[in-house]
C-alpha cells in the first residue's frame, strides 16, 4: 500500500489539433531519416535550389560592385586620389553591369545539375505517375 502512495504519473496530451501539428513540425526538424517529399513540393524544392545560387551570385556581384564604385568615389572626392579612384569606379561599374550575365551563366551551370531530376519529376507529375524517392541518408553514412 505504501508503494502505491509513493508512485505518481503525469500524462500530457495536446489540448488542440493545432498544438499537435506544431509539435509534429518541431519533431520532424530533428528526425534525420525523414523521406524526401513527393510531387509538387519536391519539384518546388528542386527549382528553388536551382535558382538560389545564381541569385546569390548576382546579388553579391551587385553589392561588391556598388561598394567598389562608392569607395572609388570616396578616393576621388575626399582623398583626391583620382587615378586610383577612377579605376576602382570602373571596376565597380563593370561588376554591376556584369551581374546579369553572371546570373544567366550561373543558372545554366547550376540548372544543368538539376535539370534531369526536374524534368523527370515534372513528366511524372504531368502523366500522373509517381515513383518513390529514397529517404535522406544520415550524416554519418556519407
Amino acid at each position: 500500500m505504501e508503494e502505491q502512495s509513493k508512485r505518481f504519473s503525469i500524462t500530457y496530451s495536446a489540448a488542440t489539433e493545432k498544438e499537435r501539428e506544431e509539435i509534429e513540425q518541431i519533431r520532424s526538424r530533428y528526425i534525420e531519416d525523414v523521406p524526401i517529399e513527393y510531387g509538387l513540393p519536391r519539384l518546388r524544392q528542386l527549382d528553388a535550389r536551382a535558382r538560389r545560387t545564381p541569385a546569390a551570385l548576382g546579388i553579391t556581384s551587385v553589392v561588391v560592385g556598388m561598394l567598389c564604385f562608392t569607395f572609388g568615389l570616396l578616393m576621388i572626392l575626399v582623398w583626391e586620389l583620382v587615378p586610383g579612384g577612377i579605376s576602382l569606379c570602373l571596376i565597380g561599374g563593370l561588376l554591376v553591369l556584369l551581374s546579369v550575365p553572371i546570373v544567366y551563366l550561373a543558372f545554366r551551370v547550376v540548372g544543368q545539375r538539376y535539370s534531369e531530376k526536374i524534368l523527370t519529376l515534372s513528366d511524372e507529375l504531368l502523366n500522373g505517375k509517381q515513383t518513390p524517392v529514397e529517404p535522406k541518408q544520415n550524416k554519418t553514412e556519407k
Side-chain angles (χ1 to χ4, degrees):
M1 192 95 173
E2 286 182 31
E3 289 180 26
Q4 289 182 353
S5 64
K6 291 182 182 179
R7 291 190 210 165
F8 67 96
S9 64
I10 298 175
T11 306
Y12 173 78
S13 61
T16 64
E17 187 63 32
K18 185 176 180 181
E19 288 176 346
R20 286 187 182 277
E21 290 174 9
E22 184 178 359
I23 292 168
E24 287 297 323
Q25 278 183 335
I26 293 171
R27 185 176 185 274
S28 69
R29 290 183 204 146
Y30 297 96
I31 296 175
E32 292 185 19
D33 292 330
V34 176
I36 298 173
E37 296 176 340
Y38 297 107
L40 189 57
R42 175 71 175 153
L43 186 63
R44 287 180 182 145
Q45 180 184 29
L46 289 172
D47 182 49
R49 284 184 187 174
R51 292 185 299 155
R52 192 176 301 139
T53 302
L57 285 173
I59 291 170
T60 303
S61 69
V62 167
V63 169
V64 170
M66 290 304 294
L67 287 173
C68 286
F69 187 82
T70 305
F71 192 71
L73 283 178
L74 183 72
M75 287 174 68
I76 294 169
L77 298 174
V78 175
W79 298 316
E80 297 176 2
L81 300 171
V82 177
I86 289 174
S87 62
L88 203 54
C89 282
L90 289 174
I91 291 171
L94 262 170
L95 270 174
V96 171
L97 288 175
L98 291 177
S99 64
V100 173
I102 287 172
V103 170
Y104 283 126
L105 181 65
F107 184 72
R108 284 180 124 185
V109 171
V110 174
Q112 285 178 347
R113 183 185 316 163
Y114 292 104
S115 66
E116 185 178 333
K117 292 177 186 176
I118 289 173
L119 292 175
T120 303
L121 185 57
S122 61
D123 286 341
E124 289 175 1
L125 291 173
L126 290 174
N127 296 330
K129 297 183 252 176
Q130 282 190 359
T131 57
V133 181
E134 297 176 13
K136 294 180 182 176
Q137 295 179 352
N138 288 337
K139 295 176 184 174
T140 57
E141 293 177 9
K142 290 182 181 177

